[in-house]
Structure formats: C-alpha cells, structure tokens
Amino acid sequence: MSLSEEKAIVIVGAGICGLATALALHRKGVSSRVVERSESLRAAGAAIGIFANGWRVLDELGVGQELRSKAVLLQAVRDGSPRGETVSLMCLKRSDLINALANNLPPDTIRFGCQTVALNLDPQTSHPILHLHDGTVIKAEVVIGCDGINSVVADWLGLKTSSQFSLCAVRGLTNYPNGHGFSKEFVRIRRNNTTLGRIPIDEKLVHWFVGRLWTPQDSRLSKEHKLIRDSAVESIKDDFPADVEMIRNSDLASLTLLRLKYRAPWEILLGNFSKGTVTVAGDAMHVMGPFIGQGGSAGLEDAVVLARCFAKEMGGNGSSKPEEQGMMTIQAKRVGKAFDQYVKERRFRILRLSTQSYLTGLLVQASLPVMKLIILMLLLLLFPNSFGHTRHDCGRL
Ligand SMILES: Cc1cc2nc3c(=O)[nH]c(=O)nc-3n(C[C@H](O)[C@H](O)[C@H](O)COP(=O)(O)OP(=O)(O)OC[C@H]3O[C@@H](n4cnc5c(N)ncnc54)[C@H](O)[C@@H]3O)c2cc1C
C-alpha cells in the first residue's frame, strides 16, 4: 500500500460484519475499502448457527441461495432450558460464510495486513484519518468500524471496552471417520455452570463447544491446544460423561479457548454509536457472547440497515457505478444523518438481544440458587418466547 491513500468509505475489519457491510453497500452501488489486520480472510470458530433472521439478511445480500446449498439444516435447537422450546436453524462452516461474502465483492476491495492503530479527524476538513501499524495513513470521508471486540473505532467513539463474563468457551471439531451417528440437532445443554453444545456439520464432522467458568490459569491454557482439550474434558466429565470421547478425539489444531465478553445492556441503551461520519457495527458495537447464537446474525442485520440508511440519505439506489460513487464527495451532514437513523433503527433490536444474552450468561455463571431464580424470572418476564429473537425482520436492503 502507498504511504497515503484516499478512499471515501473505509470499513475496518473483514469479519462477518465488515464483509457484509461492504457487500450491502456494493449492492446499493456504493464502493468501499475494507482494511483487515490479518494477512488473509480468517474465520475464528469452526461453525456458526444462523436462525431465520440471519438467513433473511443473507438473501438480501444475494448469497442466501449459494450458502443454503452448503448449510446443514438442523431440525431443532434442543435447549436445556426448563421451557424446552425448539426452533430450526441452519449451520454453516464459518469459512463458507466469510468466503461467500468476500467473493461477491469487487476485486481489490479488501486490503490485508492493514492494522488500524488509531483514528483522528483532519483539523482542516474534519474527515477521519486512519493510521495503520506501518505508518500508512488512509484519508477517508466515512469510517465504519467492524473491528470486533477490541475495536479501535469504538474506542474513538468513546465507548467503554467490553466487559467480561466469568465464563469462557472452548470450541473444537471432531471428525468421526465412520460417521458420528448424531441426530441433526443443535444440542445445547446446561448443567451447573457448564454448557455443552454440539452441532453436526456433516455426516462425519461435529462442531462442539464447552462453556464453563473462567479460571486465572486459562490465560496460559489458551495458548496450548493439548491443555485446552484436557481442561475441556475435565470440565465436562462429571456432568456430560457421554461426550468425553468426542472431546478427547477432537482435532487439536481446531481448539480455541476464549473468555466471553459483552457490552452491557445499559451501554447499548446509552452509548454513542456514531459521531459525524464515523460509526460501528457488529461485535464492535454489541458483542454479546454465544448464549442465544445471535452475535453474527445481528452483525449481518447491522450491515443491511446501515447500507439502506446510507443509500437512502445519499441518493444511492444501485443505479450508479461503484467507481463513480467512490469518487464523489460525500457530504458529511447527510452521512451523519444516515448514521443517526441507522443507530436509531438498530438500538432497540440490539438492546433486546444483548439483554437476553446478558441475562442468560448471568444465569449460567450464577452459583447461588436464589440468584438463578431471580434471573430466570426476569428472563421469563422479558422474553416469554426464548426464540422470539429469530423472528425479527430488519427489512429490505
Ligand atoms: C463461542 C462462540 C460461539 C458463537 N456462536 C455463534 C452462532 O452460532 N451464531 C451467531 O450468529 N453468532 C455466534 N457467535 C458470535 C459471532 O461469532 C460474532 O458475533 C461475530 O463473529 C462477530 O463478527 P464481527 O465481524 O463483528 O467481528 P469479528 O469476527 O471479531 O471480526 C473483526 C475483524 O476485524 C479485524 N480487526 C480487528 N481489529 C482490527 C484493526 N485494528 N485493524 C484492522 N482489522 C482489525 C479482525 O482481524 C477481524 O477479521 C459466537 C461467538 C462465540 C464467542
């Protein structure tokens, strides 16, 4: 990359949300540059469950059909909750999702090896300037931070760093050469402070995760695959003895251990998610942990709503060529208005998702029975249908 680049719209981060945002804008005839710190597309975690709301967005982005042919339809989510509700979902390899989004972007949209380290405003024009790790600067007119949990853009907006649950998740893959024999179900069962999840990806491959209490030793464990596996076996052997072999036989290289983080509901309610021509989306805006399986889909919804608000305000309707849009001088006031509208449309939806996920996380980590009871009552009161979130429709692109 040159020492200095000018690009009208820069998206920081080529995860699910950054790529979906670039694609949504592209579908509206608006070009953007995605800057990603990794050297190639990365897809942390093996698989991702997508409920009906997420598939609606993938259809709007024009990749739903292609991805359905690669997805596994799981007949039901069996949740260990006392309500025992079920719902269907489709599960994808994360790499398939990431690749489908990236492959539908114009060539050279993504710049790899570009870690954003700081953001400031040009004192003359008030346009945002991104500073990369190698000293490169990118002069932008619009910046959209899709840079995940430790977002530089969220930090610039004055949002607090994400908070931590007292929980962590171990994720991995197990291959059964002769077939696993599990039913096509996403099983997620909680016993005491431990959750076991199991998703069959195909006839032979199973994605599983173990949620358990975080211990100080976990920072050390998280760097050694064998230790991660042993700790996962240890944490489920009493509550889920039948699944010990699955974890013992896992592919060591697939294992990850990470502390679960969240943005608190009150921060979602009050946070400034945009300032002028800078905004955030995806985990950078609302990291919520895996408890209701909606973090990725919420980022997909953000992408559609953001691109719709932007195109509506800027007059983009898909008819003009992306190159022309990229060259145009974007009027900061109109962008600001579009981002205000985007945040307004998203706030209540992500507040509900984040609250349900937050309370579920608290329920899993609580040890006092009275505390568990209070949280359960709150969940029943606020979310009488625990899968109601899957029915949300964020609208057309
Ligand atoms: C255990 C677990 C299970 C989950 N299961 C599900 C599920 O089944 N369904 C679901 O919908 N969601 C699930 N989620 C949530 C989902 O994984 C996340 O919400 C989603 O991946 C967030 O996508 P994102 O693009 O916002 O952020 P990320 O995936 O974190 O992507 C951010 C990107 O930005 C890049 N980046 C970061 N900083 C910089 C920088 N400074 N400069 C340049 N690039 C940068 C990163 O390299 C990365 O590529 C789960 C989460 C966990 C932890």
Side-chain angles (χ1 to χ4, degrees):
M1 186 188 279
S2 58
L3 269 180
S4 170
E5 181 181 333
E6 297 201 16
K7 191 74 192 173
I9 302 175
V10 179
I11 295 167
V12 185
I16 296 170
C17 183
L19 295 172
T21 304
L23 184 55
L25 287 168
H26 172 62
R27 298 285 192 228
K28 299 299 273 182
V30 181
S31 84
S32 62
R33 160 81 70 236
V34 181
V35 290
E36 165 60 44
R37 69 177 168 194
S38 305
E39 294 297 335
S40 59
L41 286 176
R42 56 184 275 285
I48 184 161
I50 311 240
F51 291 105
N53 58 305
W55 284 101
R56 236 173 257 133
V57 174
L58 293 172
D59 284 334
E60 285 300 311
L61 295 175
V63 292
Q65 207 174 344
E66 170 190 345
L67 285 172
R68 266 189 199 87
S69 64
K70 296 178 177 158
V72 187
L73 172 65
L74 300 174
Q75 303 302 342
V77 178
R78 185 144 51 85
D79 198 327
S81 75
R83 286 178 276 178
E85 289 154 287
T86 60
V87 72
S88 316
L89 91 163
M90 287 177 99
C91 181
L92 277 170
K93 285 186 188 149
R94 285 196 183 233
S95 52
D96 286 342
L97 173 57
I98 291 277
N99 288 333
L101 295 169
N103 292 344
N104 279 276
L105 288 171
D108 296 329
T109 299
I110 312 169
R111 287 287 173 98
F112 293 104
C114 296
Q115 179 172 4
T116 301
V117 289
L119 171 63
N120 69 339
L121 295 185
D122 186 314
Q124 260 113 51
T125 62
S126 294
H127 286 162
I129 301 176
L130 289 169
H131 299 263
L132 305 189
H133 68 295
D134 60 359
T136 305
V137 293
I138 302 181
K139 294 181 179 177
E141 294 182 42
V142 172
V143 168
I144 303 168
C146 301
D147 44 346
I149 294 178
N150 300 311
S151 167
V152 172
V153 182
D155 192 39
W156 182 83
L157 286 170
L159 297 167
K160 276 176 64 180
T161 49
S162 42
S163 310
Q164 299 181 332
F165 285 106
S166 316
L167 296 164
C168 63
V170 180
R171 289 183 279 184
L173 285 172
T174 304
N175 185 41
Y176 293 77
N178 302 319
H180 50 67
F182 292 127
S183 57
K184 283 193 168 183
E185 280 184 313
F186 174 8
V187 175
R188 186 173 51 196
I189 301 171
R190 288 187 203 108
R191 293 197 185 126
N192 299 315
N193 296 115
T194 307
T195 306
L196 179 82
R198 199 178 59 215
I199 306 174
I201 295 182
D202 57 32
E203 297 307 312
K204 295 185 176 171
L205 201 59
V206 177
H207 170 61
W208 55 262
F209 61 87
V210 172
R212 61 163 174 78
L213 290 174
W214 167 265
T215 65
Q217 295 91 298
D218 285 327
S219 337
R220 187 176 53 85
L221 290 191
S222 61
K223 292 171 188 84
E224 296 237 15
H225 290 133
K226 198 171 159 305
L227 295 180
I228 296 178
R229 183 193 58 193
D230 295 347
S231 82
V233 168
E234 190 59 31
S235 51
I236 67 152
K237 70 177 185 347
D238 295 332
D239 291 323
F240 306 95
D243 292 288
V244 165
E245 275 314 291
M246 175 178 75
I247 293 177
R248 278 221 177 97
N249 295 331
S250 55
D251 168 13
L252 278 185
S254 72
L255 297 180
T256 56
L257 184 159
L258 75 160
R259 180 113 186 227
L260 298 177
K261 301 196 175 174
Y262 65 95
R263 194 174 290 292
W266 48 95
E267 286 162 20
I268 300 280
L269 184 66
L270 302 171
N272 285 326
F273 295 119
S274 75
K275 202 190 283 179
T277 61
V278 178
T279 192
V280 276
D283 273 14
M285 188 187 202
H286 49 65
V287 59
M288 62 181 77
F291 305 105
I292 60 169
Q294 279 286 6
S297 292
L300 291 170
E301 290 177 3
D302 294 342
V304 161
V305 176
L306 192 154
R308 180 174 67 224
C309 292
F310 186 86
K312 190 171 170 213
E313 192 57 42
M314 306 310 293
N317 55 10
S319 58
S320 51
K321 290 194 181 125
E323 309 83 63
E324 287 165 10
Q325 288 272 347
M327 297 297 288
M328 77 183 184
T329 302
I330 294 170
Q331 295 164 32
K333 269 198 181 153
R334 290 167 70 197
V335 177
K337 212 170 142 201
F339 286 172
D340 286 348
Q341 183 59 32
Y342 151 69
V343 171
K344 194 171 156 205
E345 278 193 40
R346 292 302 292 151
R347 197 184 297 274
F348 185 65
R349 164 73 172 156
I350 57 172
L351 177 63
R352 276 191 70 77
L353 290 176
S354 300
T355 306
Q356 189 174 354
S357 189
Y358 171 70
L359 288 173
T360 311
L362 288 191
L363 182 67
V364 178
Q365 74 183 29
S367 43
L368 289 177
V370 64
M371 187 57 87
K372 279 194 183 288
L373 188 69
I374 293 170
I375 300 168
L376 209 55
M377 298 294 286
L378 269 174
L379 275 167
L380 281 166
L381 192 72
L382 295 172
F383 308 99
N385 174 355
S386 63
F387 288 117
H389 54 80
T390 67
R391 288 201 221 108
H392 181 80
D393 183 352
C394 70
R396 304 299 308 270
L397 178 60

